[in-house]
Amino acid sequence: MTTTPALHTVLGSGPAGTTLARELVRRGHPVRLVDRSGSGPAIEGVERYAADVATPDGARAAVAGAAVVYHCVNVGYHLQVEVMPKIQEAVLGAAEREGARLVVLDTLYPYGETRGAVMTEDSPWNATTRKGRMRAELDARYLAAHREGRLSVVLGRSADFVGPGVLSSTLGGAVFPAALTGQPVPALGDIDLPHSYTYIGDVAAGLATLGEHPEGDGRVWHLPTAPARTTRQVLALVEERISRPLELTVIAEPRPFGPFDEAFMAEYAEMFYQHTEAQIVDSSAIEREFGLAPTPLEEAVDATLGWYGELLAAHH
């Protein structure tokens, strides 16, 4: 008798959710990828599904039949404080009812300002910003739901994303197209401070690994992240690969630039400390426990430049 492989449902079809869906298929899992439209390019082995997971009914429909649910949903910056708690409530309730394990993609926001100290999973949660406090409250609720035995939950925290498909990151749509076309490249804050960036492929590999290993449940893990370098050093990798110097525009304080409009920057201002103090993530715990290794930054930059190069060519 053959058993049908268990369904893995990914909520959110942004760069992380889409990359994760592909990674899960590569690992042999049936995958449902959920967003509000259910549309988008076909991905082999992935069922696209439309549901609004901010509503209890939508979340229940989205996770029906799933053994593992990955929460990779994000919303517009100005909506986060209001909407993310509603999504949490709906998704927690739906996953609990389904008897599914829940893997949550998380941010570094709960730590708040660290004065440049290395962030480990044991770092204190000192967030003082609205979005940081909101994320910390959500995480406390996730871990409480696990402790109370309502369902199994695990959290994977990532630094700023970089990689193919990543547009709205400080190392994304404002940087690579400008670098490739000789336009001014925005550089946020003090680019001579160490700043961790997590490759989107490592976000996916880390979340998929947590999805396959229930022994990791009930805690926070840092997703595999290459050793921090200064943002200037990362931009130097870009310069080496395109064989010309970048024209940098330093954004020393929050103001609109490139794809980040006034509404976004007004909301982002409280998080700008991430560019005025070192942001150093230690992911050695997940690397040791599950044998994962982060993609070297050189490879991450190569893949990202390749993807953006194709994107620009397709638009010409």
Side-chain angles (χ1 to χ4, degrees):
M1 187 178 123
T2 58
T3 54
T4 309
L7 176 66
H8 287 235
T9 291
V10 179
L11 309 179
S13 65
T18 301
T19 309
L20 172 59
R22 289 197 175 98
E23 174 69 15
L24 290 166
V25 168
R26 194 183 68 74
R27 294 178 181 221
H29 302 291
V31 178
R32 177 188 297 151
L33 180 58
V34 180
D35 61 20
R36 281 186 300 186
S37 74
S39 61
I43 302 171
E44 195 172 340
V46 174
E47 171 208 0
R48 285 192 178 268
Y49 189 88
D52 180 359
V53 299
T55 67
D57 289 349
R60 280 200 292 271
V63 309
V68 186
V69 175
Y70 302 84
H71 176 1
C72 301
V73 181
N74 209 349
V75 296
Y77 228 63
H78 60 295
L79 300 171
Q80 287 189 1
V81 173
E82 180 193 348
V83 177
M84 291 304 282
K86 291 179 185 165
I87 294 172
Q88 176 188 49
E89 194 176 340
V91 169
L92 266 179
E96 179 182 0
R97 181 171 160 166
E98 196 59 42
R101 291 176 53 237
L102 180 61
V103 181
V104 180
L105 172 59
D106 195 20
T107 69
L108 303 176
Y109 291 5
Y111 299 128
E113 296 181 47
T114 63
R115 297 185 176 79
V118 175
M119 287 175 257
T120 73
E121 290 88 343
D122 297 322
S123 296
W125 297 8
N126 289 332
T128 56
T129 61
R130 285 167 59 243
K131 284 179 278 296
R133 287 200 311 267
M134 176 267 292
R135 291 277 184 181
E137 284 163 16
L138 296 188
D139 290 357
R141 271 185 228 137
Y142 284 125
L143 296 173
H146 179 90
R147 274 198 314 275
E148 292 158 9
R150 289 175 51 195
L151 76 169
S152 293
V153 185
V154 63
L155 283 73
R157 281 192 181 150
S158 170
D160 285 345
F161 293 165
V162 62
V166 175
L167 294 167
S168 50
S169 159
T170 54
L171 209 57
V175 170
F176 289 95
L180 286 165
T181 57
Q183 305 296 310
V185 171
L188 286 187
D190 184 347
I191 62 171
D192 292 307
L193 294 169
H195 193 104
S196 291
Y197 294 96
T198 308
Y199 181 56
I200 198 70
D202 295 335
V203 172
L207 293 174
T209 298
L210 293 176
E212 293 176 335
H213 289 274
E215 67 271 24
D217 289 352
R219 58 163 288 184
V220 171
W221 297 90
H222 286 173
L223 299 172
T225 300
R229 299 190 205 176
T230 69
T231 299
R232 193 183 296 278
Q233 287 171 321
V234 178
L235 294 173
L237 291 177
V238 176
E239 288 181 329
E240 278 170 31
R241 279 147 180 78
I242 63 172
S243 304
R244 67 166 178 268
L246 298 179
E247 183 190 330
L248 297 181
T249 300
V250 175
I251 314 283
E253 53 197 30
R255 63 178 172 84
F257 67 92
F260 302 114
D261 61 16
E262 205 162 326
F264 175 87
M265 279 318 254
E267 276 294 335
Y268 193 65
E270 66 169 9
M271 307 306 300
F272 205 77
Y273 69 82
Q274 296 175 107
H275 308 286
T276 56
E277 65 176 27
Q279 290 268 291
I280 305 171
V281 173
D282 176 337
S283 61
S284 55
I286 202 169
E287 294 169 40
R288 270 196 316 271
E289 185 70 24
F290 300 110
L292 297 173
T295 302
L297 273 169
E298 288 80 0
E299 288 178 32
V301 168
D302 285 344
T304 309
L305 279 168
W307 184 83
Y308 271 102
E310 287 174 15
L311 185 72
L312 290 169
H315 283 271
H316 282 291

